[in-house]
Amino acid sequence: MNLGAYRPVLADRDTRNALLLGFLIRVPMWAGAVILTLHVVTSLGRSYGEAGLVTAASTVAVAVSGPWRGRLLDRIGLRRTVGPSLVVQVVCWSVAPWVGYLPLVAFAALAGLFVVPTFSILRQVIIRSVPSEQRRTALSLDSSATELSFMAGPAIGVWLATSWQTGWALLVCELTSVAAGFVLWLVNPPLTSGSADASPERGPHDEQGEGARGEAVAAPTVPAGERAPRSVRGLVTVPVAAVLLAAACSTLVLSGTDVSIVAALRSFGATGSIGWVLALWGAGSLVGGLVYGAWHRSLSVFWLLGGLAATTAPVALALGVPSFAVLITVSGFLCAPTITATVEQLSRLVPERFRGEMMGWHGSAMTAGSAVGAPVAGFAIDHGGWPWGFAVVSGLGVLIAATGWLASRRGGRVAASRTAPGPGAAPAAPPVGVAPTDSERGLPAASMGD
């Protein structure tokens, strides 16, 4: 482990700005989500189930918009994508706090459909700003900053909602998020390494792809008698789909754990401990992300997912709040590394000119996992008690991780048996979930890039 690896990453101005902007944008985003629920329950006098429907409408809209907004980033650039979103967000959240329940559902869905794709934008900026060998470290910092914002945002949201009228708290929080998005529009950071601005132009080499510094890179060839990997629009190949499945499963485990934490602490009669226990869970993820970023090599997506799921299962054995707090902190250790690994691996599997759309698909996969994990854990808790919430999502995570790992191993053996490279032949691609080394790319470390 080399903590000095963070020094050159933080020395880059674009990376520092992206990390700071990410934190400033995400804090009001998390706070707004909490305030929205409290607004429906307290100010509108509705049930928690109805509050959940508002959140669900917004979540589904965000999931649908992810690939679409990402494709716009690839095609027309940051400003032309974000500008209309800012207008829609201002209109929606200026009106939504003062309307009834059904109009609020509609405004929340519309705002979700035109959400500013901040996660996609900032991760593209970070990937573009650092050399390939520093990518994992930079993305780990982004994951750690996300954990910090997650620890701060809900607490600020609860404080605002209890100090002010929820309508005003919702208005201030959402417009603060829009203001942070406007700063992103104003800064207009470049998203790709092959262009000087954030609006990529298609050149004569687009069909082949671009290298780290904009040079043309020949499209990969397929040996005679071999079939190219099946794909959707040349983008979602089988390896990419496997990583997206791992991303979805990671949030399935995390959202199921979230619900199970609340159920467990209510069972212990310690509802007041929910806030600081969730903070411990986030702190474990924060430490894990920093350790992974300083680690000497990348790890398989499926190994990390399996570890995340396996360390979640022992939480079901807790006998009280103290042991529960210790076990949940340990289970958080692999949260940020797993998500970081999915982003890093996708950035290596997908050409740069499609990266915005792929980050959108990644966000949609994680949103879908979250949407599945919570009800699955809830069903298990209703029928077997809170320990079964942890056990079920852990079992699903281990199963999917093992299946993905075995499939990647089998794919590697099949590829090795079918290809017999001669002198000067290109080296075989690494299995899914394992980042290629410098030697596998056939390039010295000094020339590495995306």
Side-chain angles (χ1 to χ4, degrees):
M1 186 171 67
N2 177 24
L3 292 176
Y6 288 107
R7 189 176 299 112
V9 172
L10 291 172
D12 183 85
R13 184 184 63 182
D14 285 350
T15 303
R16 289 199 311 273
N17 290 342
L19 292 171
L20 179 61
L21 272 175
F23 182 79
L24 295 176
I25 289 172
R26 290 161 186 163
V27 167
M29 180 184 71
W30 300 127
V34 173
I35 295 173
L36 183 60
T37 297
L38 295 175
H39 177 69
V40 173
V41 173
T42 59
S43 296
L44 298 185
R46 299 284 182 151
S47 67
Y48 279 100
E50 289 171 307
L53 288 177
V54 178
T55 302
S58 176
T59 300
V60 169
V62 170
V64 170
S65 74
W68 165 51
R69 310 295 287 168
R71 191 177 305 130
L72 288 178
L73 287 173
D74 293 332
R75 295 177 61 185
I76 64 177
L78 188 151
R79 282 189 168 173
R80 292 171 63 190
T81 301
V82 171
S85 292
L86 295 176
V87 174
V88 173
Q89 295 291 314
V90 169
V91 172
C92 284
W93 293 117
S94 295
V95 178
W98 320 116
V99 298
Y101 176 72
L102 290 179
L104 177 62
V105 174
F107 277 116
L110 181 60
L113 195 62
F114 283 88
V115 68
V116 176
T118 53
F119 280 86
S120 177
I121 291 171
L122 295 170
R123 283 171 176 163
Q124 287 188 80
V125 172
I126 289 171
I127 292 170
R128 188 267 308 163
S129 300
V130 298
S132 180
E133 63 271 16
Q134 295 175 1
R135 186 176 300 170
R136 171 171 43 84
T137 303
L139 289 172
S140 294
L141 277 175
D142 178 62
S143 294
S144 297
T146 301
E147 293 298 337
L148 282 175
S149 66
F150 176 73
M151 294 165 68
I156 293 173
V158 171
W159 176 76
L160 287 174
T162 53
S163 301
W164 300 353
Q165 184 184 354
T166 57
W168 285 106
L170 184 62
L171 177 68
V172 169
C173 228
E174 295 296 347
L175 291 188
T176 300
S177 184
V178 173
F182 176 74
V183 172
L184 186 62
W185 179 88
L186 201 61
V187 174
N188 192 26
L191 302 182
T192 61
S193 58
S195 63
D197 54 47
S199 300
E201 298 291 339
R202 295 191 176 275
H205 301 300
D206 275 358
E207 294 302 318
Q208 294 178 311
E210 293 181 350
R213 296 163 182 81
E215 70 273 14
V217 177
T221 58
V222 180
E226 297 282 337
R227 288 187 178 182
R230 297 192 176 194
S231 63
V232 179
R233 296 180 62 248
L235 180 63
V236 183
T237 60
V238 172
V240 167
V243 178
L244 290 175
L245 178 61
C249 187
S250 67
T251 52
L252 181 152
V253 174
L254 296 179
S255 63
T257 300
D258 198 358
V259 172
S260 301
I261 288 173
V262 175
L265 293 175
R266 289 187 64 188
S267 176
F268 291 144
T271 305
S273 300
I274 292 174
W276 65 264
V277 170
L278 286 173
L280 282 179
W281 187 36
S285 178
L286 172 64
V287 172
L290 292 174
V291 170
Y292 184 62
W295 202 249
H296 63 279
R297 62 184 294 268
S298 296
L299 299 177
S300 165
V301 169
F302 299 110
W303 275 109
L304 290 168
L305 174 60
L308 171 65
T311 54
T312 298
V315 184
L317 303 177
L319 300 177
V321 175
S323 59
F324 186 87
V326 171
L327 290 171
I328 202 66
T329 302
V330 173
S331 75
F333 190 76
L334 291 178
C335 295
T338 304
I339 294 172
T340 296
T342 60
V343 177
E344 180 194 11
Q345 185 61 23
L346 284 176
S347 73
R348 299 185 187 280
L349 289 171
V350 177
E352 186 180 48
R353 67 187 187 276
F354 294 136
R355 190 172 290 153
E357 182 175 353
M358 184 45 59
M359 290 298 105
W361 280 110
H362 179 266
S364 295
M366 295 184 69
T367 301
S370 296
V372 172
V376 165
F379 181 83
I381 292 167
D382 290 339
H383 289 78
W386 69 264
W388 280 99
F390 292 101
V392 168
V393 296
S394 172
L396 288 173
V398 169
L399 178 62
I400 292 176
T403 302
W405 180 77
L406 289 173
S408 67
R409 293 278 293 179
R410 181 178 179 276
R413 286 197 299 269
V414 170
S417 65
R418 289 184 178 181
T419 58
V432 175
V434 179
T437 63
D438 294 354
S439 59
E440 285 172 334
R441 289 174 176 260
L443 293 172
S447 65
M448 292 295 289
D450 179 65

